[in-house]
Amino acid sequence: YPPVCLVSHDSPLNYLHKGYSVFIQTDKAIYRPGNEVQFRVVVLSPQLKPSVTGSIDIKMTDGAENLIRDWSRVFTTKGVWAGSLEISPKPVLGNWNISVDVNGQVFVKTFQVAEYILPKFQVDIDIPTYATFSDTVTATIKANYALGRPVKGTATVAVYPRYKSGYLQPIFSEPLRQVIDISGKVDVEFKLARELKLSDDFSKEVVFDVVVEEDKTQRRQNNTNSLTLYKYPYKLELVKTADAFKPGMPYTCFLKLSYQDGRPVMDDLNPVSVKSGFGPDTESYESTEYPIPENGIIRLAFVAPKDPSVQVLGIEAKYRDLSQWFSTVPRSESSTNMYIQARLASENPTVSRNVKFAVISSEPLDTFRYEVL
């Protein structure tokens, strides 16, 4: 048999007894001179239940580890003790500590005391939410003290495009800048597309960074705002009631005309022209003009042909100089070539009133089942 080698080794172990969990909570993470620190101590047993341990000792020290306050032999109420302390007007700044001694176990909570200087004045930038590439954009810069008194100084305005994609971004060397005098309020005009050399192929976000420097103190405050440039001030959207049409059945969708910020376009003079049809031959599509209602939403109703060769519904809409082709509506797929469709027939359904539905089927029906969700 091979020889057997036995190895024995002893090492001392330090046993750290943990009989309690103690949580120290403060009402804020950062305090200023003169603030009141409100805190509480929660003592829990190893089973995480409020524990009554007898007396505990609590100390608070400042940023230089000087003892500020000592609460000796205080008792919790159902495991909770709360206290407070007002910081002096000229304290030692930095990290302050609250330490809690529970039967020899010490727990520490750190908070910060820092000097904070409130801004002496505020800067605001008023610009439209959107504009077109051909517009002249006016930015109104406002700088006022807390009580409304105007700030006198200089305003530096930096304007630049913000690209959301990391690919194929145009390269511009520096933002467009203007430095102007300000006395509470000043207007600055920009031909954004021309001065930033932006093409109108896609909408673009333009950022306005403004820094105002006060004359007397050279104190600075800044602010940022942005707008989006579009080719047209209005837009056309197609709201589909279903992703596909069913042969031989009605199909309804809605055309929404609105400004870029969502407000409906109100225009009694210029109608919306809609060119639509079933099938791929757009030359055979029919055109219809619709007046613009107050809400800017036009209802479009079609009856889909039963011809199995017809696979798409195409829709084009035109308003003034805006022309928009929408994604085609496909034909619904059915392995049995049978279809059924239900639509809401009540215009304004309300609670506790009867609701009407219209059911259309490509085949005769004796009965049908429905479920209300």
Side-chain angles (χ1 to χ4, degrees), residues 93-144:
L93 305 179
N95 292 327
W96 288 40
N97 292 319
I98 300 172
S99 61
V100 179
D101 188 328
V102 182
N103 293 343
Q105 291 180 255
V106 179
F107 302 84
V108 179
K109 167 73 174 183
T110 300
F111 61 91
Q112 188 175 8
V113 176
E115 188 72 53
Y116 177 66
I117 299 175
L118 291 172
K120 297 299 183 181
F121 60 90
Q122 181 176 339
V123 176
D124 295 307
I125 311 167
D126 290 343
I127 53 175
T129 57
Y130 73 91
T132 66
F133 286 90
S134 60
D135 285 344
T136 298
V137 175
T138 300
T140 301
I141 314 301
K142 300 177 182 178
N144 296 285

Side-chain angles (χ1 to χ4, degrees), residues 247-281:
M249 298 184 182
Y251 180 81
T252 304
C253 56
F254 296 91
L255 189 63
K256 180 180 178 182
L257 174 63
S258 64
Y259 291 106
Q260 295 292 351
D261 59 2
R263 294 178 296 115
V265 172
M266 296 184 182
D267 188 348
D268 296 332
L269 301 177
N270 299 289
V272 174
S273 176
V274 178
K275 183 178 179 181
S276 60
F278 290 89
D281 183 11

Side-chain angles (χ1 to χ4, degrees), residues 228-264:
T228 304
L229 291 180
Y230 296 94
K231 188 172 184 177
Y232 303 100
Y234 33 75
K235 59 182 176 179
L236 286 163
E237 299 173 276
L238 186 67
V239 181
K240 301 176 183 178
T241 57
D243 293 333
F245 67 83
K246 295 179 179 180
M249 298 184 182
Y251 180 81
T252 304
C253 56
F254 296 91
L255 189 63
K256 180 180 178 182
L257 174 63
S258 64
Y259 291 106
Q260 295 292 351
D261 59 2
R263 294 178 296 115

Side-chain angles (χ1 to χ4, degrees), residues 76-211:
T76 64
T77 301
K78 295 183 179 180
V80 179
W81 186 87
S84 63
L85 176 78
E86 185 174 335
I87 302 173
S88 68
K90 295 183 179 180
V92 176
L93 305 179
N95 292 327
W96 288 40
N97 292 319
I98 300 172
S99 61
V100 179
D101 188 328
V102 182
N103 293 343
Q105 291 180 255
V106 179
F107 302 84
V108 179
K109 167 73 174 183
T110 300
F111 61 91
Q112 188 175 8
V113 176
E115 188 72 53
Y116 177 66
I117 299 175
L118 291 172
K120 297 299 183 181
F121 60 90
Q122 181 176 339
V123 176
D124 295 307
I125 311 167
D126 290 343
I127 53 175
T129 57
Y130 73 91
T132 66
F133 286 90
S134 60
D135 285 344
T136 298
V137 175
T138 300
T140 301
I141 314 301
K142 300 177 182 178
N144 296 285
Y145 296 101
L147 298 179
R149 190 163 55 90
V151 174
K152 292 185 178 180
T154 57
T156 302
V157 185
V159 183
Y160 56 91
R162 176 186 291 161
Y163 296 99
K164 298 181 180 180
S165 170
Y167 301 96
L168 300 177
Q169 294 188 6
I171 298 175
F172 66 97
S173 55
E174 285 191 9
L176 177 65
R177 296 183 187 275
Q178 283 197 33
V179 179
I180 48 177
D181 294 331
I182 186 172
S183 180
K185 177 181 175 182
V186 67
D187 291 336
V188 190
E189 290 188 349
F190 295 95
K191 278 282 189 181
L192 294 176
R194 186 184 67 190
E195 295 178 73
L196 292 174
K197 299 179 181 179
L198 301 176
S199 60
D200 63 357
D201 47 356
F202 298 103
S203 62
K204 297 192 172 58
E205 183 182 7
V206 177
V207 179
F208 289 71
D209 279 342
V210 176
V211 179

Side-chain angles (χ1 to χ4, degrees), residues 35-48:
N35 284 170
E36 183 182 26
V37 180
Q38 298 185 28
F39 67 97
R40 67 178 179 178
V41 178
V42 182
V43 183
L44 303 179
S45 69
Q47 291 76 32
L48 296 182

